[in-house]
Amino acid sequence: MRRLLLALPFALLPLAIAQAADEHDHDHEHGSLGAHEHGVGRLNAALDGQTLELELESPAMNLVGFEHAATSDADMAKVAAARAQLEKPLALFSLPAAAGCKVASQKLESPLFGDKPDADDHDDDDHDEDAKGGEAHHHDHSEIHAHYQFTCAAPGALTTLDLANIFNTFPATQKIQVQLISPNGQQGTEVTAKSAALKF
């Protein structure tokens, strides 16, 4: 399922993050290149033929307002609400109806969801984290990962990707760093609530 995203130029991502950190928060540069920066999410997007893959990674703080295990009823309700929103990717990513996209698969991962027993296992860098380069497992304790694959009947209608609904739904998210591969090439960019759309 990750074959499209494996082609992403991950080498560009630390540069974009480092530049953003230079402009904004110097205190976030302590060795991790801002990989886990509150208010900042990451989106990998790849369009190949009729297949669109989107992979969203975000600190839990951006989506639910905390990073600890949900134990109170109020916290569990926030986690359930965030998960319910993430389970509606067609609405969340505002995919144009003309493209005729249907969800082929979706996978949500976070220790907060309680459905991935090995999420906080200390051996987790021995298995599926390696498929993503291994760098993410240090932050898994407080990250939410959402991976979607769509089949689009008219992919030519996917001219833009509008992330406004993500900012509206999760207002603690201030910016999203995007890596995008499409038939027109690849680009790395950063979107904010005020400028939430990018061109394929």
Side-chain angles (χ1 to χ4, degrees), residues 71-145:
T71 50
S72 70
D73 288 346
D75 283 355
M76 286 190 270
K78 286 177 187 170
V79 170
R83 181 168 190 160
Q85 297 288 351
L86 291 168
E87 287 175 345
K88 298 176 196 162
L90 288 172
L92 205 55
F93 292 100
S94 306
L95 297 179
C101 296
K102 290 186 168 54
V103 180
S105 66
Q106 64 182 42
K107 183 178 182 185
L108 303 178
E109 293 177 7
S110 174
L112 291 181
F113 295 151
D115 59 352
K116 190 185 175 204
D118 59 347
D120 53 3
D121 188 331
H122 293 302
D123 298 325
D124 68 350
D125 54 337
D126 291 336
H127 37 86
D128 55 25
E129 288 306 333
D130 280 341
K132 292 187 294 190
E135 77 278 6
H137 70 272
H138 298 296
H139 304 291
D140 263 9
H141 65 282
S142 53
E143 294 261 328
I144 293 176
H145 297 180

